[in-house]
Amino acid sequence: MARFGIVMSVFNVFVALIVLVLAGLDYGRYRGHALAAFLHEMVITGLPVDDKEMVEAYPSDPTITKLEPEVLKKVFDNNSNLGGADLGGAPVQTVEAELTRVAAKVKANVDAAPNVEQKRTILWRYLQFQARTIVERDEYRKKCFQDPMGAAEQELERRFTYVRQPQNRVEKAANKELRLGAGQLFVNLSVDPEWRKRVMVVVGLEAYVTAVGMQADAFAQIASDIRELTVRDQGNFVVSYENGVRELIYQSEELFRANQRLANLKAVLADRLTALQQRQTEVNEHKADLTKKTADTNTEIARLEAIQRDLFAVQQRLGLAQAETEKLEAELKSKAKP
């Protein structure tokens, strides 16, 4: 009987050990399944918005407490710099941390540009897909390439600030508005596939798909507006083109008539030039004849002046002779009186 008790005791010990081993195996499997379920939940919902957010399936502790370094590494697919060279970086634990990191990264990328033109180009790359309407897109382009340098930077900073505003966090339990706002902001910062993968990890597939869908709708509306403007511009262009063609036809006819008048005027001008040359020849001949006659006239004038001087001298002698004659007559008359 005592031997049987000993055997049963040993047997119970072996059974207890087996139970403990099985329990350990089950607990390991449980932890593995729990981790797999948590990672799956992270794929769907994304990282917690802040250090206070809790997953509905695990309401006892904030989600961030479960994101230990090894778990966080698995969440980011064992990639220490997921996101690409432009906006990528080390893993983060919350969406708020990612907002802060990306805002600093964007600013650093802009500040690192060597000149103003490249800074404007980088800002346009970050802002162009943020637009929801064609008006916003034109406004962003103006801020990037026409307005003072700070306008586009302020707009980009405003978009990060807007996502963090309290009114975007109405649903305190899941913070869906902030998560969706961050998703829309992140998705449209870059089209790099590596960056899109990081956005999926940070905000989760639900918010990512919703953000992409909303932006796709916005792009569809922008495309529709552009098509409408294109049709309108095309109609205006057709009218303007037809008016231009009619004006060109009219102008060509006027040009043809003007060319005809010009040809006629050129012919008249040629005749007038010929006549002018003939008249010029006649003028030159008359000038030569006038010069000759002037010389002859001057010679005759000189001869006449000499004759005039001789006549004047004769006239003076006649005057003196007449005075002498009158004097003699007076003397004769005085002597002839008794």
Side-chain angles (χ1 to χ4, degrees), residues 99-322:
L99 282 168
T100 301
R101 187 196 69 81
V102 175
K105 183 72 172 176
V106 166
K107 187 177 186 307
N109 290 343
V110 174
D111 292 341
N115 53 59
V116 174
E117 289 72 18
Q118 292 190 26
K119 287 184 179 181
R120 290 182 180 275
T121 301
I122 293 173
L123 285 166
W124 172 241
R125 189 176 72 219
Y126 291 143
L127 274 175
Q128 61 177 325
F129 296 122
Q130 302 292 337
R132 307 290 177 82
T133 65
I134 191 172
V135 175
E136 273 191 355
R137 185 177 174 84
D138 291 340
E139 179 184 347
Y140 293 165
R141 179 183 289 276
K142 180 175 178 293
K143 286 182 177 181
C144 287
F145 296 108
Q146 298 179 19
D147 290 349
M149 186 63 202
E153 293 177 306
Q154 290 174 2
E155 177 61 32
L156 197 56
E157 183 179 352
R158 185 190 68 81
R159 299 195 70 85
F160 278 94
T161 302
Y162 177 78
V163 175
R164 298 190 183 99
Q165 287 177 349
Q167 58 263 37
N168 296 323
R169 306 185 63 179
V170 177
E171 299 184 38
K172 296 295 183 181
N175 298 301
K176 290 183 178 179
E177 276 74 8
L178 190 146
R179 188 183 302 277
L180 180 58
Q184 288 180 291
L185 176 61
F186 290 155
V187 162
N188 296 302
L189 282 176
S190 174
V191 294
D192 183 359
E194 289 299 316
W195 169 245
R196 294 293 178 86
K197 290 179 183 178
R198 184 182 180 101
V199 175
M200 291 182 200
V201 172
V202 173
V203 302
L205 282 178
E206 286 183 344
Y208 177 83
V209 171
T210 303
V212 170
M214 293 177 67
Q215 196 61 24
D217 293 339
F219 286 161
Q221 184 59 49
I222 291 175
S224 176
D225 293 340
I226 291 176
R227 282 194 295 270
E228 182 180 348
L229 292 175
T230 301
V231 171
R232 186 186 308 167
D233 290 343
Q234 185 176 8
N236 294 334
F237 172 78
V238 169
V239 172
S240 177
Y241 174 77
E242 291 176 349
N243 291 336
V245 169
R246 285 193 291 269
E247 181 65 21
L248 285 174
I249 293 174
Y250 172 77
Q251 293 293 341
S252 64
E253 292 175 351
E254 286 294 314
L255 180 61
F256 176 75
R257 287 191 289 269
N259 285 332
Q260 285 184 326
R261 290 194 297 271
L262 180 60
N264 295 334
L265 290 174
K266 285 182 177 180
V268 173
L269 178 62
D271 293 340
R272 297 292 173 82
L273 287 175
T274 302
L276 178 62
Q277 290 174 353
Q278 292 175 352
R279 297 294 182 273
Q280 189 66 40
T281 301
E282 293 176 357
V283 167
N284 292 335
E285 291 175 353
H286 288 310
K287 283 183 177 179
D289 185 53
L290 178 61
T291 301
K292 182 177 179 302
K293 289 183 177 180
T294 300
D296 294 342
T297 302
N298 289 336
T299 302
E300 289 297 323
I301 289 173
R303 189 174 62 83
L304 290 173
E305 286 178 347
I307 294 172
Q308 186 178 9
R309 285 193 297 272
D310 291 341
L311 289 175
F312 181 73
V314 171
Q315 187 179 7
Q316 284 183 333
R317 286 195 297 272
L318 287 175
L320 292 174
Q322 184 178 0

Side-chain angles (χ1 to χ4, degrees), residues 47-61:
L47 298 175
V49 167
D50 54 26
D51 57 0
K52 298 179 181 61
E53 183 177 319
M54 299 181 183
V55 180
E56 294 180 3
Y58 307 97
S60 58
D61 298 311

